[in-house]
Amino acid sequence: MKRRAACAGDLIDAGDVRLYVLHPEEGREAVDSNDDSLVVKLVSKNVDVLFCGDVQEEGMARLVPYGSFLRADIVKVPHHGSSLGDEGTVRNFF
């Protein structure tokens, strides 16, 4: 099986469910590996879910151009609940 790293702009379309890859950019070399975390949005008929991996401030800043597309019914808080992933940061960002 051939493998390739997912990058921003990739789309997996499975009919009623779509998975949009928002981050990282193709070929990007991040200063911190957390800022290369995969950020994806799952969109279905009934629910939208945003998975933010361990992306940190620099990576989150690169998501700003997506604007309202970042809104989701469920958000996997970035960086597994650290101060970066606290409720205030998430609410202000998303």
Side-chain angles (χ1 to χ4, degrees), residues 29-50:
E29 291 185 31
V31 174
D32 183 309
S33 62
N34 282 334
D35 277 322
D36 270 341
S37 286
L38 194 61
V39 177
V40 297
K41 182 171 183 185
L42 182 139
V43 176
S44 73
K45 288 181 185 178
N46 300 321
V47 67
D48 291 357
V49 183
L50 184 63

Side-chain angles (χ1 to χ4, degrees), residues 30-92:
V31 174
D32 183 309
S33 62
N34 282 334
D35 277 322
D36 270 341
S37 286
L38 194 61
V39 177
V40 297
K41 182 171 183 185
L42 182 139
V43 176
S44 73
K45 288 181 185 178
N46 300 321
V47 67
D48 291 357
V49 183
L50 184 63
F51 298 94
C52 296
D54 284 346
V55 71
Q56 295 184 327
E57 290 178 17
E58 182 182 332
M60 288 173 66
R62 289 194 300 269
L63 296 172
V64 169
Y66 288 102
S68 64
F69 186 72
L70 295 173
R71 292 193 178 135
D73 301 304
I74 300 169
V75 176
K76 186 278 183 191
V77 176
H79 218 264
H80 45 95
S82 71
S83 61
L84 182 64
D86 71 18
E87 183 180 337
T89 302
V90 171
R91 186 178 303 135
N92 289 334

